[in-house]
Structures are given as C-alpha cells and as structure tokens.
Amino acid sequence: MPFSDYKTALVTGASAGMGEAIVERLCQEGITVHAVARRADQLAALAARTGCIPHALDVSDLDAVTRLCSEISVDILVNNAGVSRPGSILNADEESVDTQVDVNLRAVLHLCRLLVPGMMERDRGHVINITSIAAIYNFGGNSIYHATKAGVHALSRQLRVDCYGKRVRITEICPGRVATDIFGNVSGDHEDARRRFIDGFELPEAKDIADCVAFAVSAPIAVNIGNIEITPTLQVPGGLSTMRPGESL
C-alpha cells in the first residue's frame, strides 16, 4: 500500500465533481492535499469538510502555478482540471481554442515540468492524468477538446519514458460519461443537460473515478497501472458510420 509512502498531493479542478471526490478520497487516506480550483467559496467548503489546503487560482495562470509549486513538495499530482466547448474546429472561435489548450494541455505540461523533477530526485511519486475517452476515440463535435485530451494521452505515455529508472509512476484515467456537472458547464443550461445526459442513465459517479485513483496509487510500488478506461456498462465508444454521396447528416 504505497499510500504510506506518500505524504502530499496536489489536485487541480478540485472544487466540484471528480476533483472534489478525489480530494476527499486522498484526505481519507491521510494524504495532505493541496486543492486547486478557481471557485474560492467551494474550495473553502471542501477544506472545512476534508482538511485539504485550498488554493483559489486558475491553472492557466502560470505565475500563480509556478509560485505554488515552488512552495510545496508533491508526491501525488492529479491533473484533473478541464474545460470543454461544443462544436467542431470548423466553427470554433479564438476563445474556445485558447481556453481549452491553456487549461486542458498547457497547464498539465507546466505542472509536470514543475513537479516531476522533484519526484525524480526523491525517487518517489505518482502522476495521475484525468483525460477522457475523447483522448483515444473520435465522435462528433468537441474537436479541440479531443485534441487537447489526446495531447495529455501522449504526454502520459511519454512521461513513462522520461521517468524511466526512478520509482515515479504515471497513470492515465480515461472516463466516459460520468454523472457530473460538466455537461451543464459546457452548455450553460444545467437543467437541460441533466435531462439529456444524466437522468435515466446508469452512470459512474465522481466517487468511482476517485476509487480508480486510489486503486492505482495503492498498488504495490513495483506496479505501474498505466491506463484505466472507465465507462458506463451501457456505453460503447466505438462505432462505424458510412455515408452515401449526397446524403446529409
């Protein structure tokens, strides 16, 4: 149980959903958790409930992230923060490209750049990247989200190479549909999103993703669980569509 080997974690996107559940689970395991998110009020409530250390900042703010990382030593890094915008690259605007790249990909690269060298020096650490089945499968819309998550998927594989020779483990967790507020955050209409994407479905919950994190971390130190794909039993990511010339969608 390597939980006993680790002392400190940093979790991004910690104020709600999967990030909140991951913070709660790690705190239950006796880990000192630095919880990072933009929403100060929700972070304060989480801190009061779990004992985590809240940091109200935007992961795309490199100066703030750099200051935080210079002040703490981290054994477990959970890159969970993410944003999504609907639509394909054909109708994307500048903001949707820049925001998703900044939060979903650039922030992950910088956090790894800032924190993984310390893990290498201590010969101890675990990076957990929460991506999506969108990192490895293609489906309609959300082109930029797919691209950014695919980038983190590639980074997760590459980190295993970069950390070769040290006891620094890398795990990528790829959730499918999970019962969280992300669908409402994307559309801006939480009630409609819940009706369309959550109500009536049998879905994993945020705590199930937190259990996956705990499973990977608690494996013997000789074991690296590289990738976990977790979807609803009644969801499949694959499928093949073929269109005749002249047909419309």
Side-chain angles (χ1 to χ4, degrees):
M1 291 285 289
F3 270 116
S4 60
D5 298 330
Y6 299 143
K7 298 179 180 178
T8 306
L10 187 150
V11 180
T12 66
S15 62
M18 294 186 292
E20 178 183 16
I22 293 166
V23 169
E24 291 177 341
R25 182 59 190 271
L26 293 179
C27 285
Q28 290 170 6
E29 298 289 347
I31 302 295
T32 298
V33 181
H34 294 267
V36 174
R38 293 176 296 173
R39 293 176 281 191
D41 290 345
Q42 290 175 261
L43 274 182
L46 180 62
R49 189 170 72 250
T50 66
C52 72
I53 302 170
H55 301 276
L57 60 88
D58 191 325
V59 292
S60 64
D61 183 344
L62 182 55
D63 289 340
V65 168
T66 301
R67 283 194 300 272
L68 174 60
C69 291
S70 69
E71 296 168 355
I72 59 177
S73 175
V74 171
D75 299 314
I76 303 169
L77 168 62
V78 182
N79 286 306
N80 169 72
V83 295
S84 180
R85 300 287 188 272
S88 78
I89 195 69
L90 303 179
N91 54 27
D93 57 24
E94 182 178 348
E95 187 275 339
S96 66
V97 172
D98 290 347
T99 298
Q100 290 178 90
V101 170
D102 287 346
V103 174
N104 298 352
L105 180 56
R106 185 175 287 117
V108 175
L109 289 164
H110 282 304
L111 281 161
C112 290
R113 174 183 67 83
L114 292 165
L115 293 175
V116 173
M119 297 179 185
M120 296 287 285
E121 291 175 8
R122 295 186 297 274
D123 194 25
R124 181 183 71 248
H126 202 141
V127 178
I128 298 176
N129 291 327
I130 310 295
T131 59
S132 167
I133 58 170
I136 46 181
Y137 301 101
N138 300 102
F139 39 88
N142 302 85
S143 299
I144 302 149
Y145 184 79
H146 278 266
T148 57
K149 290 299 184 178
V152 180
H153 172 70
L155 172 65
S156 301
R157 299 300 179 112
Q158 186 62 38
L159 278 172
R160 288 278 289 130
V161 177
D162 293 344
C163 296
Y164 177 66
K166 296 291 184 178
R167 296 178 184 87
V168 177
R169 302 185 294 176
I170 314 297
T171 299
E172 179 189 8
I173 298 177
C174 304
R177 188 179 298 187
V178 179
T180 70
D181 288 337
I182 187 171
F183 304 104
N185 294 339
V186 172
S187 69
D189 187 335
H190 285 266
E191 184 177 341
D192 177 68
R194 177 164 289 277
R195 283 196 306 268
R196 293 174 58 199
F197 298 110
I198 297 177
D199 290 346
F201 293 97
E202 297 176 357
L203 304 179
E205 298 180 359
K207 65 181 181 61
D208 297 311
I209 308 304
D211 287 342
C212 288
V213 171
F215 173 71
V217 173
S218 64
I221 198 64
V223 175
N224 183 91
I225 297 171
N227 184 281
I228 299 175
E229 182 180 307
I230 174 171
T231 64
T233 302
L234 299 178
Q235 180 187 49
V236 293
L240 179 66
S241 299
T242 306
M243 182 184 295
R244 292 185 179 91
E247 288 183 340
S248 59
L249 295 176

